[in-house]
Amino acid sequence: MAVQDLRSYQVRFYQVLFGLGFVALALVVVKMMMRGNVNRFGMAAAIVAGIAVILALDKYYWVLFPLLTTFGLKIPGLPFSGDELGCIALIGCYFVRLATKRSGRIRFTRELLVVYPIFFWIVGIWFANPTGLAIFGSETIGARFYIKILLGFFVMHVLSTFPFHEKECKIFFSAYFVGCLFSTLMRAVWGGVSESLETGEVGSRYYLLGFSTVYALLFSRYSLSHILSSFGLFLTMSGTALATIATGKRKAFASLLLVPLLRAILTRRDRMLTAVCVFVAFFFLCFFVAGHGSLWEVPRPVVRSLAVVFPSLRDSSKGIEGTRDTFRDEMQKLAKESIRQHPWFGLKGFALNRNSMVWLRSASSGSNMFAGHAAARNWHSLWLGLAADFGIPAVFLYGVFAIYAFFWSIRLVRSIPRENVFQFAVTFYYTAAYLQGLIFAYGSGHSATSLYISWSQYGILLAIANGLKKERESTYHLSST
């Protein structure tokens, strides 16, 4: 009884402490509004709102992760993006709740330990060459390069402490879907409109990229037969597919075919229907491509997407200028040359000091564009990037993790009861993401960002595995009694 009273006292103490901090920050916000300091006001308002939301969510504070990780938007006054803030909030809340005995401890299982070889290899390389932390640039420049890796590593551990049952997966799926859809629409409207006003052209294709995620989430939740039988779902599928093709991103376009096929294989349902639909879609695309140049002109981003299925479009005589990615090819040549010079430890991470950054800013947009992007570690290839930054052993160590995670996630998908539709949806979505990452790892990816994303996704799968394990244990105890 005394222990329970002590814990309740600790909980009330931290709640009061958070409440006082919330009031203090609110007063700071009001003061900044009166002074007209927009950046600091935005930063303080974001902190106040974040604390308020965390207090309201209580034990479901992890909802911040799927909501904020869908936002790559910047908050005025804060040096972090929305996804990074979500990770920082998740980690901070976990340790606060751990101090109040309201969160479970991390268990170092076999599935979790498979990440450690590649992580400690990177840590060891940084200790051997501790440079790059003097700059905190945008995206993955300087210290942010290592912060991305650390955030993914710690978020994976925090998420692995949760048991995600059907209810938690439903909340997670809904939050991720809503956040992704809202973020995509906001980027498409505001970003597209602003760019149209500046250039006189249609908004950037990159603002539509989030629709490929909506498409994958749709197939994670519903079978193909269910989608075709519902007008609303069919309209959503068609709209997101067309928007994905319009992005010109070949990896996103390939997911339009990959996701339905993988679902049919894993569930062993709608296999014939999926095969017929893929055949019809391929036939339509052949007709569409055959008429290009003679009957109609296909927009440049669409041709760029279709080049995945029709390599002949990369030929400038049949396609259009720019469908062959010479920039990516040149960056990969530089990566291979760097690997030949430094095969074992690579360039030892982001090994640039502050003086080198002055040159990097001018080189990235000048005549030394390729050298500038190489110095910024934008190799546009996960495997070549890992080898160039951390050495060839890093490729092997991460490959072990990636292959293990993919096949382990397949076993996890097939172990989920059929009635647990949202556990299946979330698990299948990340299984498809791992497969897509393995297929396109040579032509895309980043040695820091890709690790950050894949480890975060792995943490979600570990949480679902915990939920299934607890369900099986509770069923066993009920049957034994």
Side-chain angles (χ1 to χ4, degrees):
M1 189 67 180
V3 175
Q4 293 179 353
D5 292 340
L6 178 60
R7 288 182 179 177
S8 62
Y9 172 78
Q10 290 176 334
V11 170
R12 286 195 297 270
F13 172 76
Y14 280 98
Q15 287 176 341
V16 170
L17 188 63
F18 269 108
L20 291 174
F22 179 80
V23 173
L25 282 172
L27 293 175
V28 172
V29 169
V30 174
K31 185 176 180 180
M32 289 178 179
M33 288 177 62
M34 296 174 65
R35 292 185 176 182
N37 195 324
V38 179
N39 284 340
R40 291 185 179 179
F41 165 71
M43 178 176 64
I47 295 174
V48 169
I51 292 176
V53 171
I54 289 170
L55 290 174
L57 290 174
D58 194 28
K59 67 178 181 179
Y60 293 104
Y61 67 93
W62 50 262
V63 174
L64 291 172
F65 178 75
L67 277 176
L68 292 178
T69 50
T70 56
F71 288 85
L73 306 177
K74 297 288 185 181
I75 297 175
L78 287 178
F80 298 101
S81 59
D83 61 318
E84 292 168 341
L85 286 175
C87 294
I88 293 171
L90 180 70
I91 296 170
C93 289
Y94 169 76
F95 282 108
V96 170
R97 293 178 66 88
L98 183 65
T100 59
K101 310 296 184 181
R102 302 177 71 191
S103 290
R105 296 183 180 274
I106 297 172
R107 296 182 179 180
F108 299 96
T109 60
R110 179 184 60 186
E111 289 78 14
L112 193 60
L113 295 178
V114 73
V115 179
Y116 278 61
I118 177 61
F119 177 76
F120 282 116
W121 178 267
I122 294 173
V123 171
I125 285 180
W126 183 83
F127 275 107
N129 187 34
T131 59
L133 301 185
I135 313 100
F136 191 83
S138 61
E139 296 182 0
T140 55
I141 301 297
R144 208 184 205 98
F145 182 89
Y146 296 104
I147 287 176
K148 284 283 189 183
I149 296 174
L150 288 174
L151 283 178
F153 184 74
F154 285 112
V155 163
M156 176 191 65
H157 283 77
V158 171
L159 290 173
S160 69
T161 62
F162 294 103
F164 272 23
H165 304 286
E166 179 68 4
K167 178 182 177 181
E168 285 77 14
C169 286
K170 183 177 181 179
I171 296 173
F172 181 92
F173 184 90
S174 302
Y176 192 83
F177 186 87
V178 170
C180 179
L181 187 61
F182 177 76
S183 177
T184 302
L185 290 174
M186 187 165 59
R187 284 168 174 268
V189 173
W190 293 108
V193 169
S194 63
E195 185 166 313
S196 300
L197 292 175
E198 292 177 3
T199 63
E201 300 177 355
V202 179
S204 173
R205 54 194 168 89
Y206 294 103
Y207 294 119
L208 303 176
L209 192 57
F211 284 114
S212 63
T213 304
V214 177
Y215 176 90
L217 290 171
L218 189 69
F219 270 96
S220 300
R221 174 62 181 86
Y222 302 103
S223 63
L224 180 59
S225 58
H226 194 134
I227 293 174
L228 295 178
S229 63
S230 171
F231 177 75
L233 293 176
F234 176 76
L235 192 65
T236 304
M237 179 197 70
S238 304
T240 53
L242 291 175
T244 301
I245 295 175
T247 63
K249 303 297 286 183
R250 286 160 285 192
K251 181 179 177 181
F253 171 71
S255 68
L256 299 181
L257 303 176
L258 178 65
V259 172
L261 286 172
L262 182 63
R263 181 183 174 96
I265 293 172
L266 291 182
T267 61
R268 300 176 182 176
R269 297 176 60 189
D270 296 335
R271 286 181 289 184
M272 184 60 67
L273 178 63
T274 304
V276 171
C277 288
V278 169
F279 176 78
V280 171
F282 183 76
F283 178 80
F284 174 76
L285 290 176
C286 289
F287 174 76
F288 191 65
V289 170
H292 172 59
S294 57
L295 300 177
W296 49 69
E297 290 294 327
V298 180
R300 174 175 175 172
V302 176
V303 174
R304 195 173 186 272
S305 294
L306 297 179
V308 174
V309 182
F310 303 98
S312 61
L313 289 175
R314 298 177 183 175
D315 186 355
S316 59
S317 63
K318 296 182 180 180
I320 54 175
E321 183 182 356
T323 53
R324 179 177 292 278
D325 200 337
T326 55
F327 174 80
R328 195 180 301 269
D329 293 341
E330 187 64 30
M331 292 306 304
Q332 292 174 2
K333 288 180 182 177
L334 292 176
K336 292 176 183 177
E337 181 62 29
S338 177
I339 295 169
R340 278 192 286 268
Q341 295 177 5
H342 312 282
W344 293 109
F345 301 103
L347 297 172
K348 297 183 179 180
F350 198 91
L352 289 181
N353 55 31
R354 187 176 293 274
N355 294 329
S356 302
M357 287 298 297
V358 177
W359 170 83
L360 176 60
R361 291 189 182 96
S362 61
S364 296
S365 57
S367 58
N368 295 324
M369 179 180 66
F370 297 118
H373 279 277
R377 306 299 185 260
N378 296 326
W379 303 111
H380 288 74
S381 172
L382 175 57
W383 301 128
L384 294 178
L386 284 171
D389 294 340
F390 302 113
I392 294 176
V395 177
F396 172 76
L397 295 174
Y398 181 77
V400 170
F401 159 74
I403 295 172
Y404 177 86
F406 172 65
F407 285 103
W408 177 77
S409 64
I410 289 179
R411 294 198 303 270
L412 186 63
V413 167
R414 290 178 170 172
S415 67
I416 297 174
R418 181 170 295 184
E419 61 271 16
N420 295 359
V421 293
F422 285 99
Q423 277 186 328
F424 173 85
V426 177
T427 308
F428 172 78
Y429 173 76
Y430 287 125
T431 302
Y434 274 122
L435 177 61
Q436 185 176 342
L438 286 171
I439 293 175
F440 296 99
Y442 182 81
S444 63
H446 188 276
S447 53
T449 305
S450 296
L451 269 62
Y452 160 73
I453 294 174
S454 62
W455 289 348
S456 301
Q457 294 172 344
Y458 193 58
I460 297 296
L461 296 179
L462 291 171
I464 295 174
N466 286 341
L468 291 172
K469 181 180 179 181
K470 289 184 179 296
E471 290 171 9
R472 287 192 295 266
E473 290 175 352
S474 61
T475 303
Y476 173 77
H477 288 309
L478 288 174
S479 61
S480 62
T481 55

